Amino acid sequence: MRILASNDDGIHARGMRILVGCLTALGDVFIVAPDRQRSATGLSITMHRPLRVKKVKIPGFKVTGWAVDGTPADCIKLAIEDLLEGPPDLVVSGINLGPNLGNDILYSGTVSAAIEGAINGFPALAVSLASYSSEDYSGASIFLKNFLPVLAKGGLRPGTLLNINVPATERPCGVKITRLGSRRYVNIFEKRVDPRGRLYYWLAGEPVEPEDGAVETDVEAVKNNYISITPLQLDLTDYKAFDWLKHLTEAEKLL
Amino acid sequence: MRILASNDDGIHARGMRILVGCLTALGDVFIVAPDRQRSATGLSITMHRPLRVKKVKIPGFKVTGWAVDGTPADCIKLAIEDLLEGPPDLVVSGINLGPNLGNDILYSGTVSAAIEGAINGFPALAVSLASYSSEDYSGASIFLKNFLPVLAKGGLRPGTLLNINVPATERPCGVKITRLGSRRYVNIFEKRVDPRGRLYYWLAGEPVEPEDGAVETDVEAVKNNYISITPLQLDLTDYKAFDWLKHLTEAEKLL
C-alpha cells in the first residue's frame, strides 16, 4: 500500500513523526508537507508565486519527505501530479496539534489536505489531537495502529473521507461515529495599539461550550473523552432549498 | 437594510464597484475587503500575525470601505466583530472576475467570504462573473438589481447561502437553480527552471470539459449561458456513511 502523508503544522512537527510511526507498518509512506507552520490556511492554494520543493529526512525513519513552501492543498496537488510516481492508495493528514471540530474544519489546513486528496479521488483521513496543552499522542497512536488496517481491509474507496479527533490521553473512553457539531467563539479579536500608536487586531477567540442538545456531534464526543470519527462528503449543495428558490424566482422578471 | 460587501479580488477591484452600484439602492452598504488580490485563499484566516485596517473611499460612491491586510474570511470576521456597529442583514461577496463552480468553491476566497457570513448566522451570497477574458458585468448587474429585492422580500433568513455565477454577457439565456458540479483540471503544474538552474513549480491547470451526464449542475448552466444559482449548506457530514462505519468499527479492538 502507498500512503501519502501530509499536515499543516509543517514537515518537522512532532505530530508528523508520530503519524509516520503509525503508517510504516502498513506500506510505503511518502511525506509531502509544508516546510513550516501553515495552520488555518483552509483549502488555500498558491497561484501568484512559484512553489519550491526540498527533500527532507525524517529522523528515525527511512522514508523520504518533500518539504514544500506552500499550503497543505498545494502539497497534495504537487504530490499527486509530480512527486509521487503513481497514485497513492490513501492520503493521511496529521497528526494535528489541536482539535478540528464542527464548522472549524473548513478553516483547517489539516482537514483541507485530506479534502484535497478526496477531491482527487483518493480515500483520505485527517487526524487531530483534541488538545492544545497536552502533547500526549499515545491514545491517537494506539488507535491509528489498530484502525488503519481495519480501514485498509474494508473501507478504502474513492469518497472515503474521515475527520478523526482523538483526546490527548492514553485511554480514551471509546470510539464514536459522529456528525459535525457547531463551534462558536467569543472575544474573537484582540484590539491593540502598536509602539507607534497605531491600532491593530489579532485573531484570538475562545470556543463557547456547546449547547446541551448537541448529541452525536464530534464536539460532544471529544468533550466526553471519546475518539470522534466523522465521515465527510464534499457536495455542499443544499438540495432542500431547491423548491423555495425555484418558487421565489420563477414568477419574477430577473433579466 | 444593512449590507456587508466583500470580495477576494481586493477592495479596489472593478467587480467591487459594480457590486456596490447594485447594492446602494437596497440599503446601507458597508465594504470590508482585502487591500489586495487574495484569490484562492479559501477559508484561510490569519492567526500568526496582526491585521491592519485602513479606511478607503470607493470612487463614485458615498459608502465607506475598510481595506484589511488579511483574507476574505478575516474581513467578514472583523466587520461583524468590530467595524460594523450592529449586525448586517445580508453579506454579499463579489463580483469575482472568474467563475466559482463545482468543488472549486472550496478554494475560492469569494465564496469563502459568503461562507464566513453564513457561519456567523447571516444570509450570504457569492457572485462571480463566469469569465476570465471578458469583463462584461452588464448581465450580472441587471440580474442583481432585479434579484436582490426579490430575495430581500422572501428569502433572507439565517442559513440562506447562495453561490451565483453569471455569464459575461448582457443577455444570459435565463436563470437556473443548480447543484454543484465537478471541475477537473489537467496540466496542473508547470515545471520550470529558474535563472540559477533550480527547479520550481507554478500552479496552472486547464479545466476539463464536464462529462455529458452532468445535468442540472452549475458547470452545465454556465456553459449554456445561463445564470446559475446554487443553494449551499455547510454540514459536510456524510450521513450515508454512518452505517458502514459503525459496522466497520464495532467488532474491532481499536483501543
Side-chain angles (χ1 to χ4, degrees):
Chain A
M1 187 152 91
R2 295 162 52 81
I3 308 170
L4 169 58
S6 194
N7 71 0
D8 76 350
D9 287 335
I11 197 162
H12 300 293
R14 191 170 157 224
M16 175 57 81
R17 294 199 299 279
I18 307 279
L19 178 65
V20 172
C22 299
L23 296 176
T24 45
L26 266 168
D28 296 326
V29 180
F30 306 87
I31 308 169
V32 185
D35 61 358
R36 70 199 79 172
Q37 170 63 257
R38 295 302 302 263
S39 287
T41 50
L43 202 62
S44 168
I45 49 177
T46 306
M47 293 174 68
H48 301 295
R49 61 168 179 85
L51 292 170
R52 302 280 185 172
V53 177
K54 197 176 159 189
K55 277 206 172 182
V56 168
K57 288 272 174 204
I58 307 295
F61 296 99
K62 282 191 186 153
V63 298
T64 300
W66 288 269
V68 178
D69 63 347
T71 65
D74 289 333
C75 291
I76 302 299
K77 279 187 194 293
L78 256 179
I80 292 168
E81 168 96 346
D82 190 274
L83 301 174
L84 268 61
E85 287 162 9
D89 300 299
L90 173 65
V91 176
V92 187
S93 177
I95 299 174
N96 189 63
L97 182 57
N100 280 306
L101 299 165
N103 38 270
D104 278 2
I105 63 163
L106 288 172
Y107 304 105
S108 159
T110 306
V111 179
S112 293
I115 287 177
E116 184 63 42
I119 286 175
N120 284 278
F122 305 109
L125 313 186
V127 188
S128 304
L129 193 69
S131 165
Y132 295 109
S133 48
S134 160
E135 288 205 44
D136 184 350
Y137 289 95
S138 57
S141 193
I142 294 165
F143 168 73
L144 280 180
K145 283 174 184 168
N146 289 327
F147 178 63
L148 288 170
V150 170
L151 190 67
K153 209 171 60 185
L156 289 190
R157 58 197 91 170
T160 298
L161 175 58
L162 305 180
N163 185 43
I164 299 170
N165 284 271
V166 185
T169 165
E170 202 185 332
R171 300 224 171 273
C173 295
V175 176
K176 291 209 171 177
I177 314 301
T178 58
R179 63 183 173 87
L180 290 176
S182 154
R183 292 269 274 182
R184 296 214 152 263
Y185 292 86
V186 287
N187 306 324
I188 298 179
F189 286 98
E190 288 191 20
K191 209 168 165 178
R192 299 181 182 186
V193 176
D194 77 9
R196 275 158 205 85
R198 296 182 313 168
L199 194 69
Y200 65 93
Y201 295 84
W202 208 307
L203 190 63
E206 302 148 27
V208 179
E209 279 290 298
E211 62 280 31
D212 276 341
V215 291
E216 292 204 336
T217 67
D218 52 357
V219 177
E220 186 216 23
V222 161
K223 186 183 158 195
N224 293 325
N225 225 27
Y226 281 81
I227 294 170
S228 163
I229 309 180
T230 311
L232 302 179
Q233 58 82 33
L234 299 176
D235 184 359
L236 275 71
T237 309
D238 183 0
Y239 291 97
K240 288 181 198 154
F242 265 55
D243 284 343
W244 82 252
L245 255 181
K246 282 186 177 166
H247 182 72
L248 189 73
T249 54
E250 66 194 352
E252 304 286 346
K253 184 182 164 359
L254 298 175
L255 291 170
Chain B
M1 188 153 91
R2 295 161 52 82
I3 308 171
L4 169 58
S6 194
N7 71 359
D8 77 351
D9 287 335
I11 198 163
H12 300 293
R14 192 172 155 222
M16 175 57 81
R17 293 199 300 279
I18 307 279
L19 178 64
V20 173
C22 299
L23 297 176
T24 45
L26 267 168
D28 296 327
V29 180
F30 306 86
I31 308 170
V32 184
D35 61 357
R36 70 200 79 173
Q37 169 64 258
R38 296 302 301 263
S39 288
T41 50
L43 202 63
S44 168
I45 48 176
T46 306
M47 293 173 67
H48 300 295
R49 61 166 178 86
L51 292 171
R52 301 281 185 172
V53 177
K54 200 177 157 188
K55 276 206 172 183
V56 167
K57 288 270 172 205
I58 306 296
F61 296 99
K62 281 191 188 154
V63 298
T64 301
W66 289 268
V68 180
D69 65 345
T71 65
D74 290 332
C75 291
I76 303 299
K77 278 186 195 294
L78 256 180
I80 293 167
E81 169 94 350
D82 190 273
L83 301 174
L84 267 62
E85 287 162 11
D89 300 299
L90 173 65
V91 177
V92 187
S93 176
I95 300 173
N96 189 63
L97 183 56
N100 280 307
L101 299 165
N103 39 269
D104 278 3
I105 62 164
L106 288 172
Y107 303 106
S108 160
T110 306
V111 179
S112 293
I115 287 176
E116 184 63 41
I119 286 174
N120 284 279
F122 304 109
L125 314 185
V127 188
S128 305
L129 192 70
S131 165
Y132 296 109
S133 49
S134 160
E135 287 205 45
D136 185 349
Y137 289 95
S138 56
S141 192
I142 294 165
F143 168 73
L144 280 181
K145 284 175 185 170
N146 290 325
F147 178 63
L148 287 171
V150 170
L151 191 68
K153 209 171 59 186
L156 289 191
R157 55 196 95 172
T160 298
L161 175 58
L162 304 180
N163 185 43
I164 299 171
N165 283 270
V166 185
T169 164
E170 202 186 330
R171 299 224 170 275
C173 295
V175 176
K176 291 207 170 177
I177 313 302
T178 57
R179 63 182 174 87
L180 290 176
S182 154
R183 292 268 276 183
R184 295 214 152 266
Y185 292 85
V186 288
N187 307 321
I188 298 179
F189 285 98
E190 287 190 21
K191 209 169 166 175
R192 300 180 181 187
V193 176
D194 77 8
R196 277 156 203 85
R198 297 183 311 170
L199 194 67
Y200 65 93
Y201 294 84
W202 208 307
L203 190 63
E206 302 149 28
V208 179
E209 279 291 297
E211 62 279 28
D212 276 340
V215 291
E216 293 204 335
T217 67
D218 52 356
V219 178
E220 187 218 23
V222 161
K223 187 182 159 198
N224 294 325
N225 224 29
Y226 281 81
I227 294 169
S228 164
I229 308 179
T230 312
L232 303 178
Q233 58 81 35
L234 299 176
D235 183 0
L236 276 70
T237 308
D238 183 359
Y239 292 96
K240 289 181 198 155
F242 265 55
D243 283 343
W244 82 252
L245 256 180
K246 281 185 176 166
H247 183 74
L248 189 74
T249 53
E250 67 194 350
E252 304 286 346
K253 186 183 162 358
L254 298 175
L255 289 171

